[in-house]
């Protein structure tokens, strides 16, 4: 998952990983810092697509 999360945001620093349930789907919410800005990224835990 780490590679998926950072493939578009090279150089980002991850702060928090949280596995949640959204409408019956397992979703990874990743908080990170990219270019001095806090960002949130969501990844479908089953198919590994960025949402």
């Amino acid at each position: 998952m780490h590679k998926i999360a950072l493939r578009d945001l090279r150089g980002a620093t991850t702060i928090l990983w949280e596995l949640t349930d959204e409408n019956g789907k397992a979703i990874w919410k990743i908080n990170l810092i990219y270019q001095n800005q806090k960002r949130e990224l969501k990844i479908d835990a089953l198919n590994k697509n960025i949402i």
Side-chain angles (χ1 to χ4, degrees):
M1 285 295 170
H2 192 260
K3 287 182 183 179
I4 294 168
L6 298 179
R7 79 175 157 212
D8 293 333
L9 302 172
R10 295 196 195 293
T13 302
T14 55
I15 300 170
L16 174 72
W17 289 78
E18 179 181 10
L19 185 60
T20 63
D21 183 311
E22 291 186 10
N23 299 321
K25 289 186 175 183
I27 304 292
W28 280 106
K29 287 185 181 179
I30 300 109
N31 290 330
L32 46 88
I33 301 226
Y34 179 67
Q35 296 180 344
N36 296 322
Q37 294 182 357
K38 202 172 198 180
R39 300 191 185 230
E40 181 180 271
L41 185 65
K42 293 182 180 181
I43 300 176
D44 185 309
L46 295 178
N47 65 21
K48 300 179 181 156
N49 290 330
I50 295 175
I51 300 171

